[in-house]
Amino acid sequence: MNDFDPAQSLADGFAAQIEAWSRQLGAPAAACQAARHAAQALSLATSQGHVCWPLAEITAAHAGLLPDATAWGQMLLASKVVGTAALPGRCPLVLDSDGRLYLHRDFDHERALARRLLQAARAEVQGEARSDAPAAWGPAVPALLQQVFPASGDGQANWQQLAAALALRQRLLVISGGPGTGKTTTVVQLLALLLAGQPGCRIALAAPTGKAAARMAEALQARAAGLPAAMRLGLPTQASTVHRLLGPTATPGLFRHHAGQPLAIDALVVDEASMLDLALARRLLDAVPAHARIVLLGDKDQLAAVESGAVFSDLSANPALSAAARHDLAMMCGVAVAAIEPPPAPAGDAVALPDSVVWLTQNHRFAADSPIGLLAQAVQAGQPASTLALLRDSSSDALRWSTPGAGSLARAEAGYAPYIDSLLQHPGDPAAAHAAFSGFRLLCAVRSGPNGVDAANQRLARHARERLAVLQPPGSDPASPGFAGRPVMVLRNDETLGLFNGDIGITLPADEGDELLVWFADADTASGYRAIAAARLPAHETAFAMTVHKAQGSEFDTVMVLLPPQPSRVLTRELLYTAITRARRSVWLAASAERVAEAVATPTQRYSGLRARLREASGDNGREAHTLGSSLG
């Protein structure tokens, strides 16, 4: 059995380098040792998605080495490889005044991102004179807002309308809402308003994955059909991945567009922003010109990014509005100030972004008493007993529950029957294949084990290959992973081919010969799809089953969720909520009661200091004018 752990190996190597560097700088032996332990802990933490690691965690892990976090902080500063937030210097590690230990790179990302966000949030409040500012539009703003967002007639605030008004008031808007809460509708109407006030406004639409970008473009076009013809003119019809928008270069992590060479846009809309990690969020916003508006859409209750950080969750933590903002919104929307009452934030969540966050809570897809809606609410609220009661008592096909076992993958095979039937009936039609494939998806919490992605894909691929034997090219190798009918997911960006991590393709036989072609959605082609020879694909895998993380930004008619039989650290409230809300019509949960309860009771915790950086940058918490040593002493 191979027990090699890459994360542990990397952490050990990093810790040794830090200790050696500390010794070279002449630090005391005890400080060098402390730096080694702290560096190892921080490296392991970042591999698990944390941006920083509290001294309290290091103290607990090394009980007896130093008495408390204060002593740890003082010893790390004595190591000469740890700088402070006020004076980070060229130190590889940074310790802020609240006892958070960072890689220098990640501290820089947080600080730069905080400053850029506040610049956008404050622009209009600071009274910058701009031709596209709402004040310059005169009475047109209230009239247009009320035309695009008709009044409810009951005097209640329309939060979609208020969100659009907030985006017109300044240059930053963060909208959090679950599936079906109207985020896309709000954005379509907002963009129409921007174009009405600023004809020729250059708008970019982006999402972290190709699938999410394609779905965003489709949804925007569908919602735009309800606007007056004059307002539809100029609306963007395509969306791209964030990486494609920024322009990848041959150097990983570097892009053509950055602060020195910004994007030629006047507004940026990013969907599925909960998938943005800290580094990518910083690079994206750096590339947005200072005058442009930024709209971030997501669901604060979904899974955070695979890489480090929980940027969207941090930004959308508190939707409070100041008295000045409420007054302005009331004037713009024609409602009473008293009607503008944001939902309360959880206790202890201070305002991170001033007057920039809206939570959309009214669900237009699921009725208040729908099985999926009720289940999502119970999971979201962290209520294991209510979640299990809903599963046990459900008599609806929209919500089914079974314990995992030998029959689980047989049920998944049945779920893909319409897809296989479609391929047999329309073997050369990529549009029909993609439509049928989007009807069902098996989502797994883990990759390995009998209930993991790898085992599920092996079985489902074998079943599909047998059913689709008539479609296989003559002389095809049965041992080859490729076959007609195989769905694939791209795992690595390939700018040359125009393929990006997360893109889904369907393998179909060529019209002539024995070649297999993989068809991907492509809005730039007349058919909406383009083919790439299977042999040319970048790294990819079979996609009958996928992890819940990989399913973010996608929706399917029916979702089957398969959880592992044993406890796992990946089983969290956010994972289960994200899996459930990928379904449009029905959910089949294959999991034991113990694993369901475990997931619902376990919220994701990711350490970051983005909210602290925002407070520092805004001056609300004062700038770090003192050294950490005096703070800890």
Side-chain angles (χ1 to χ4, degrees):
M1 179 176 180
N2 186 0
D3 293 325
F4 176 71
D5 184 343
Q8 185 66 57
S9 177
L10 179 64
D12 292 342
F14 178 64
Q17 283 188 318
I18 290 294
E19 181 182 24
W21 193 347
S22 181
R23 291 188 186 282
Q24 288 173 7
L25 293 174
C32 297
Q33 183 185 36
R36 186 187 81 240
H37 289 309
Q40 182 187 57
L42 177 59
S43 179
L44 288 171
T46 57
S47 72
Q48 295 173 6
H50 301 284
V51 175
C52 54
W53 199 236
L55 291 185
E57 295 282 359
I58 300 174
T59 303
H62 296 281
L65 188 60
L66 289 168
D68 53 33
T70 298
W72 270 97
Q74 293 170 340
M75 191 65 74
L76 289 176
L77 290 176
S79 72
K80 301 185 179 183
V81 291
V82 179
T84 67
L87 296 169
R90 295 186 177 182
C91 295
L93 306 180
V94 175
L95 191 58
D96 76 1
S97 57
D98 293 316
R100 302 181 188 91
L101 183 66
Y102 290 85
L103 296 174
H104 195 137
R105 172 201 65 199
D106 290 338
F107 179 78
D108 279 347
H109 285 329
E110 269 196 357
R111 186 166 54 182
L113 178 60
R115 290 173 177 171
R116 180 64 184 91
L117 286 163
L118 286 173
Q119 178 192 43
R122 284 175 163 177
E124 187 62 18
V125 177
Q126 291 176 336
E128 294 183 5
R130 311 194 318 272
S131 61
D132 65 322
W137 297 8
V141 169
L144 284 170
L145 277 168
Q146 291 166 41
Q147 176 187 357
V148 174
F149 298 94
S152 61
D154 58 5
Q156 298 297 308
N158 178 338
W159 280 97
Q160 293 180 346
Q161 181 191 49
L162 291 170
L166 199 59
L168 296 179
R169 181 179 182 267
Q170 57 207 47
R171 293 190 181 114
L172 177 67
L173 174 66
V174 178
I175 300 180
S176 176
T181 53
K183 297 190 297 291
T184 303
T185 299
T186 302
V187 167
V188 166
Q189 293 163 326
L190 165 61
L191 296 182
L193 290 170
L194 284 177
L195 288 164
Q198 186 186 0
C201 178
R202 298 165 298 174
I203 300 167
L205 307 178
T209 68
K211 182 66 176 178
R215 194 168 66 82
M216 179 189 192
E218 293 167 3
L220 284 170
Q221 291 179 46
R223 303 296 192 282
L227 290 172
M231 292 189 120
R232 291 199 299 269
L233 296 175
L235 284 174
T237 58
Q238 297 182 18
S240 72
T241 63
V242 171
H243 283 84
R244 188 181 301 176
L245 178 69
L246 291 176
T249 66
T251 304
L254 294 182
F255 298 95
R256 289 195 297 273
H257 293 288
H258 44 76
Q261 187 173 334
L263 295 159
I265 60 174
D266 302 305
L268 170 68
V269 179
V270 183
D271 199 11
E272 299 293 345
S274 61
M275 300 168 67
L276 290 175
D277 61 77
L278 174 63
L280 186 58
R282 184 261 174 99
R283 291 185 174 107
L284 174 61
L285 267 62
D286 271 356
V288 178
H291 76 275
R293 283 187 170 83
I294 301 166
V295 180
L296 304 178
L297 307 173
D299 186 345
K300 62 182 177 60
D301 298 308
Q302 280 192 27
L303 284 165
V306 174
E307 302 297 333
S308 293
V311 172
F312 190 81
S313 178
D314 282 336
L315 298 185
S316 57
N318 193 324
L321 295 172
S322 67
R326 293 171 66 200
H327 175 270
D328 291 349
L329 295 180
M331 295 290 290
M332 295 170 74
C333 298
V335 298
V337 173
I340 304 175
E341 190 60 44
D349 273 331
V351 176
L353 282 172
D355 300 331
S356 301
V357 178
V358 170
W359 292 356
L360 297 180
T361 58
Q362 183 180 356
N363 200 301
H364 304 281
R365 178 184 303 171
F366 303 124
D369 59 350
S370 73
I372 295 178
L374 290 172
L375 183 65
Q377 290 173 32
V379 172
Q380 186 180 35
Q383 299 171 341
S386 297
T387 300
L388 291 171
L390 286 166
L391 291 170
R392 291 191 187 101
D393 298 341
S394 176
S395 58
S396 169
D397 287 342
L399 182 58
R400 290 173 286 177
W401 180 36
S402 63
T403 56
S408 297
L409 292 182
R411 296 186 186 99
E413 289 174 352
Y416 281 115
Y419 167 67
I420 291 174
D421 291 342
S422 175
L423 290 173
L424 292 171
Q425 294 170 19
H426 311 285
D429 187 343
H434 274 270
F437 188 60
S438 69
F440 177 84
R441 194 69 86 251
L442 174 62
L443 304 182
C444 301
V446 297
R447 293 203 64 89
S448 58
N451 287 8
V453 166
D454 295 338
N457 271 325
Q458 289 176 13
R459 171 163 172 170
L460 293 169
R462 184 167 59 248
H463 170 76
R465 193 170 200 151
E466 292 171 356
R467 289 285 315 279
L468 298 170
V470 67
L471 299 184
Q472 307 312 315
S476 58
D477 182 2
S480 169
F483 63 92
R486 181 195 186 202
V488 301
M489 174 183 286
V490 174
L491 301 177
R492 189 183 68 236
N493 297 339
D494 189 318
E495 180 71 13
T496 303
L497 293 176
L499 294 176
F500 295 86
N501 185 17
D503 287 353
I504 296 289
I506 303 293
T507 308
L508 299 175
D511 291 337
E512 297 180 0
D514 58 0
E515 186 179 27
L516 290 174
L517 302 177
V518 184
W519 291 83
F520 294 87
D522 189 339
D524 291 335
T525 64
S527 67
Y529 296 89
R530 66 187 174 100
I532 295 177
R536 296 186 61 205
L537 291 182
H540 60 280
E541 66 182 3
T542 304
F544 283 112
M546 61 178 64
T547 62
V548 178
H549 269 100
K550 289 288 189 180
Q552 282 185 270
S554 300
E555 290 181 353
F556 315 100
D557 291 337
T558 298
V559 164
M560 182 175 180
V561 183
L562 186 59
L563 301 186
Q566 68 280 353
S568 171
R569 68 179 180 86
V570 306
L571 291 181
T572 64
R573 182 181 305 164
E574 290 77 10
L575 180 134
L576 187 55
Y577 170 83
T578 302
I580 291 166
T581 54
R582 298 310 88 206
R584 298 188 190 98
R585 299 177 186 171
S586 62
V587 170
W588 191 322
L589 181 59
S592 68
E594 291 79 8
R595 296 293 82 77
V596 172
E598 172 189 330
V600 176
T602 309
T604 298
Q605 182 179 29
R606 280 202 172 178
Y607 286 111
S608 83
L610 182 57
R611 298 187 209 181
R613 304 286 84 78
L614 285 163
R615 289 192 297 271
E616 290 164 7
S618 68
D620 292 342
N621 199 37
R623 297 190 181 277
E624 292 194 51
H626 58 279
T627 65
L628 181 65
S630 63
S631 171
L632 292 172

